[in-house]
Every structure is written in structure tokens, then in C-alpha cells.
Amino acid sequence: MLKPLYEKVDLPVASIRRYLEPGPIVLVSSTHGERRNVMTMGWHTVIEFSPSLIGCVISSNNHSFGMVRDSGECVINIPTSALAEEIVGIGKCSGAWIDKFETFKLTTEPAKLVKAPLIRECFANLECRLVDDSLVGKYSFFVFEVVKAHAATTPKYPETLHYMGDGTFMVSGKIIEQHPKFSAGILWRRILNALRPVQRA
Amino acid sequence: MLKPLYEKVDLPVASIRRYLEPGPIVLVSSTHGERRNVMTMGWHTVIEFSPSLIGCVISSNNHSFGMVRDSGECVINIPTSALAEEIVGIGKCSGAWIDKFETFKLTTEPAKLVKAPLIRECFANLECRLVDDSLVGKYSFFVFEVVKAHAATTPKYPETLHYMGDGTFMVSGKIIEQHPKFSAGILWRRILNALRPVQRA
Ligand SMILES: Cc1cc2nc3c(=O)[nH]c(=O)nc-3n(C[C@H](O)[C@H](O)[C@H](O)COP(=O)(O)O)c2cc1C
Ligand SMILES: Cc1cc2nc3c(=O)[nH]c(=O)nc-3n(C[C@H](O)[C@H](O)[C@H](O)COP(=O)(O)O)c2cc1C
């Protein structure tokens, strides 16, 4: 299957929550010295808007762990469901012996502020710097600051994959948008109205 | 709209990832002294299977912050999209002056190991104890251990809501299950096959 290569625009880093908050599976790329690598990650959360902080778990069993910790950088790439094969494959093998970008035929592009590569087949790329490693020893929990963000403008809501463990994935469904001019107080009515047909189906 | 009250069974705490990993919006209930409260939360991640650890952000602007920090406990309740009205409403008002369980007509039930109440209209309830507050001061980031988990057995995959910021929600879509007897190596083929019709649609 031919994968799309997304054209992207710069995004204010404080706006990246909409990409990560719904919980998509992501691909973390890293570079250290001559080596580059990529792994699949499901355990991440937004921590702060501004500075734009993300927390995530990169297990010390993974080759990526040392590369990210020692370089202090990574890129969080957000794939669509079109990359299902790559998402699973990349999460099942180690970059210690192979170049996964070649194995999985992914197109890389230099980032602006970090050395880790952007993946062009992903619709958003978040350049990250490690800002807090105080829980890395205890839980392999890294706090990154997103220092630069790139995102495709179309489609507005790409179909993402969400992991549920044990080889089960959820595919993102219907989007319910709130018009900015509506007050918070009546947001729930709109959501409720939008949801009713879904619930009946 | 009448809300379902789910019947639940005990769940091994190491298995809760499938409920939280796809990134659903959750309701955090807390008790401190005579007071009880509930807030909406989107910023959470699984941190470890065993012990079963969850990390999440409860902003210090929220009334829940002090209640959870001082009691060292909470319950993470996972609602379906049927609770859209409550999810938004509970996330837009403070429990400092009102009892949100009464305001939003939620049925509470005592938890087994913590004082915070379970919400019966939610299909899963995770009883949590605060095990690490070292990043609470800096990022309002709490690390909880799930000490007891309750989950409805049916429906197997309830429809969840996933927040994207700015009043936009994603409703969980199609589920792709991996049969346990298939090897990891061919998982991606099954996912890919299952996805193709979705992508063509
Ligand atoms: C769907 C999925 C989600 C995963 N989520 C994580 C995660 O959040 N953290 C982690 O450390 N590993 C996670 N993994 C495992 C790593 O991707 C896997 O161990 C990978 O082979 C590591 O590659 P590396 O050794 O080249 O770094 C996940 C794997 C899959 C398939
Ligand atoms: C969809 C949604 C997601 C939210 N996610 C979070 C979150 O992850 N962390 C947080 O501190 N507040 C979050 N909030 C805000 C709180 O729910 C909100 O401030 C609430 O009024 C706090 O209630 P309390 O003051 O009674 O504790 C969210 C609100 C909404 C509507």
C-alpha cells in the first residue's frame, strides 16, 4: 500500500494537545551519534500547554531508552491507521541491530531544532527536548518539552489508532466539534445532540 | 436520558491498561473529611503494569487538587459517551461550593479500599492510592497505584469519549481484536486487513 507523505505547516507548540490528548499510538524517533531509531509508544500524556510539556514511558528494555536519555531529544511522530503495519512491526523489533526506517520503508526528513528525524508518512511531528529526567530511573518516565511542531492541515482529523493492549486496537471514530462562539455552558447540549444518533445506532 | 448503572466484576489491577491506554476522558472522584468531589480529566497515562501505576495531571487550580493530595486517594471512573453532559458539566464547575454528584445526579457506591466513591453510571472504576507526589509541586503530576479495579463485563468495548481540546471530542470507533493464538509477527497483517475497508470508506 502506498503511504501518503504529508505536507505540513508549523503549529504553535501550545496547540499540540489536540493531537496527543485523545490517546493515539505514536512513533518515537531518536538519533544518537551515528545511530537513528524509532519505536512505537502508547503511554504518553499532555502535562502542560505552555511550556508545551509531554510525559511518556520509554522502557529501559528498549534500545530507544539509552538513545533518548543520552541525546536528550526525540521526535514524537503521529501516524494514521494507514501505518498499522509499521506501528506493530516497529513495536516488535529492536533497533539495536537493524535500521527500522529502512526495514519499514519510512521517509525521514531533518528536524529543525533536534537531531532526531521527522517521519514524513506521519501527519504530525513534534520535536522534543528532555526537560526532566527525575522519574526516568524509577519509572522510565520522561518529561519532554515540544520545541517545534509540524502538522498536516488536511485531513483535519486523520484516522488514528489507539492501543488497548493484547493486540487490540481502537480506530478513532466520529468527531464532535464545538463552534468557538458557543459558550461553555451549552457545549454539553451540542455534544449530547451530536451523540444521540451514534448511541441509537 | 436514563443512564445505565453497570454491574461489575473485580478485575486484576495489572489488566487495567485496556481501559486507560486508548485515552478516554475520565471522572476523578475524591473524598476528604466530610467533603466529596468529582472532576473531569483527560491528561493521564499508564506508567506500569505491575504494580499498576497511572500518572495524571490534576491542576492546582482545581478544588480536587487539595482533596486528592491531602487524602492521598481517588477513584478514576471511566464513563461512556452516554455521560457526555456530565463529563462537560463536571469539568466546567468547581466542587468548592456544590456537591457535583447531586447536581449531575450520579449514583455513588462505597469503594473497597479507598474512601472516594465509585460512580455507578461509569463502566469501570479504578480505586487509586497516591504513591509518588514528587512531581506534584512542579507539574501537578500525580502517580497513583490502582489498588482495586471494577469493570462491567458487557458491553465488552463501551463507546468512550476522547477529548481534543477546544470543546472537540472524538468518539471511540471500530475495535480490532487480535486472537491470542496468533503470533505477534502476523498481527499487523490482521490489523491491516481489518482496516482496509475502513480506509476505503
Ligand atoms: C502498540 C504498541 C505500544 C507500545 N507502547 C510502548 C510504550 O508506551 N512504551 C514503551 O517503552 N514501549 C512500548 N511498546 C514497545 C516498543 O515499541 C518495543 O519494545 C520496541 O521494539 C522498542 O524498540 P527499540 O528497542 O528499537 O527501542 C509498544 C509496542 C506496541 C506494539
Ligand atoms: C474535557 C475536559 C478535560 C479536562 N481535563 C483535565 C485534566 O486532565 N486535568 C485537570 O486538572 N483538569 C482537567 N479539566 C478541568 C477540570 O475538570 C475542571 O477545572 C473542573 O471544574 C475541576 O473541578 P473541581 O474544581 O471541583 O476539582 C478538564 C475539563 C474538561 C471539560
Side-chain angles (χ1 to χ4, degrees):
Chain A
M1 189 166 40
L2 201 67
K3 311 290 179 214
L5 296 178
Y6 290 98
E7 291 300 326
K8 283 154 210 166
V9 297
D10 288 357
L11 200 77
V13 291
S15 315
I16 60 112
R17 62 181 290 185
R18 103 164 169 79
Y19 296 90
L20 288 184
E21 197 168 341
I25 200 84
V26 300
L27 298 173
V28 180
S29 53
S30 51
T31 297
H32 195 226
E34 300 293 293
R35 305 287 312 234
R36 58 183 192 169
N37 195 22
V38 56
M39 66 166 261
T40 302
M41 181 172 76
W43 291 2
H44 56 75
T45 180
V46 178
I47 290 190
E48 187 53 89
F49 301 113
S50 181
S52 177
L53 302 180
I54 295 173
C56 57
V57 177
I58 300 178
S59 157
S60 57
N61 299 322
N62 292 336
H63 188 63
S64 301
F65 177 86
M67 296 186 63
V68 172
R69 188 197 47 193
D70 297 344
S71 66
E73 294 180 346
C74 72
V75 174
I76 296 180
N77 303 276
I78 310 179
T80 65
S81 57
L83 295 189
E85 174 181 344
E86 290 77 5
I87 289 168
V88 178
I90 288 167
K92 296 284 177 194
C93 66
S94 167
W97 319 110
I98 57 165
D99 181 321
K100 293 196 227 178
F101 298 97
E102 282 178 13
T103 307
F104 294 96
K105 298 194 176 40
L106 292 176
T107 317
T108 57
E109 189 179 358
K112 291 282 183 295
L113 301 179
V114 303
K115 291 202 181 108
L118 311 180
I119 299 176
R120 286 204 54 199
E121 286 84 358
C122 291
F123 70 90
N125 314 103
L126 312 178
E127 302 187 21
C128 296
R129 283 213 186 101
L130 180 58
V131 290
D132 194 327
D133 63 1
S134 60
L135 294 187
V136 168
K138 208 166 171 190
Y139 308 115
S140 302
F141 186 79
F142 293 73
V143 180
F144 294 113
E145 178 174 350
V146 179
V147 290
K148 179 128 193 98
H150 315 261
T153 48
T154 166
K156 189 163 179 194
Y157 296 109
E159 188 180 87
T160 48
L161 277 185
H162 299 249
Y163 198 48
M164 308 183 84
D166 291 326
T168 299
F169 286 85
M170 180 268 281
V171 185
S172 63
K174 190 171 168 181
I175 301 290
I176 303 166
E177 262 192 339
Q178 153 78 342
H179 193 286
K181 83 176 181 201
F182 288 111
S183 78
I186 59 164
L187 168 59
W188 65 261
R189 283 179 212 277
R190 286 174 51 84
I191 292 179
L192 202 64
N193 286 338
L195 276 174
R196 271 185 186 137
V198 176
Q199 287 167 6
R200 281 202 202 104
Chain B
M1 189 166 42
L2 201 66
K3 311 291 179 211
L5 296 178
Y6 290 99
E7 290 300 325
K8 284 154 208 165
V9 297
D10 288 357
L11 200 78
V13 290
S15 314
I16 59 110
R17 63 180 289 185
R18 102 165 169 78
Y19 297 89
L20 286 184
E21 197 168 341
I25 200 85
V26 300
L27 297 174
V28 180
S29 53
S30 52
T31 297
H32 194 227
E34 301 292 294
R35 304 289 311 235
R36 58 183 192 168
N37 195 21
V38 56
M39 66 166 260
T40 302
M41 180 171 76
W43 291 2
H44 57 76
T45 180
V46 179
I47 289 190
E48 187 54 89
F49 301 113
S50 181
S52 179
L53 301 181
I54 295 172
C56 59
V57 177
I58 301 177
S59 157
S60 57
N61 299 322
N62 292 335
H63 188 63
S64 301
F65 176 87
M67 296 186 61
V68 172
R69 188 196 50 195
D70 297 344
S71 66
E73 295 179 345
C74 72
V75 174
I76 295 180
N77 304 275
I78 310 179
T80 65
S81 57
L83 295 189
E85 174 181 344
E86 290 77 5
I87 290 168
V88 178
I90 288 167
K92 296 283 178 195
C93 65
S94 166
W97 318 111
I98 56 164
D99 181 322
K100 294 196 225 177
F101 299 98
E102 283 177 14
T103 307
F104 294 97
K105 298 193 175 40
L106 292 175
T107 317
T108 58
E109 188 180 359
K112 291 281 184 296
L113 301 179
V114 302
K115 291 200 182 110
L118 313 180
I119 298 176
R120 287 204 54 199
E121 286 84 357
C122 291
F123 70 91
N125 314 102
L126 312 177
E127 301 186 21
C128 296
R129 282 211 188 103
L130 180 58
V131 290
D132 193 328
D133 63 0
S134 60
L135 294 188
V136 168
K138 208 164 169 192
Y139 309 116
S140 303
F141 186 79
F142 294 73
V143 180
F144 295 112
E145 178 174 351
V146 180
V147 290
K148 180 128 194 97
H150 315 262
T153 49
T154 167
K156 189 162 179 194
Y157 297 108
E159 188 179 89
T160 46
L161 275 187
H162 300 250
Y163 198 49
M164 308 182 85
D166 290 327
T168 300
F169 286 85
M170 182 268 282
V171 185
S172 64
K174 191 171 170 181
I175 300 291
I176 303 166
E177 260 192 340
Q178 153 78 342
H179 193 285
K181 83 177 184 203
F182 288 111
S183 77
I186 58 163
L187 168 59
W188 66 261
R189 283 179 212 280
R190 286 175 50 82
I191 292 179
L192 202 62
N193 287 338
L195 277 175
R196 271 185 187 137
V198 176
Q199 286 165 8
R200 280 202 203 103

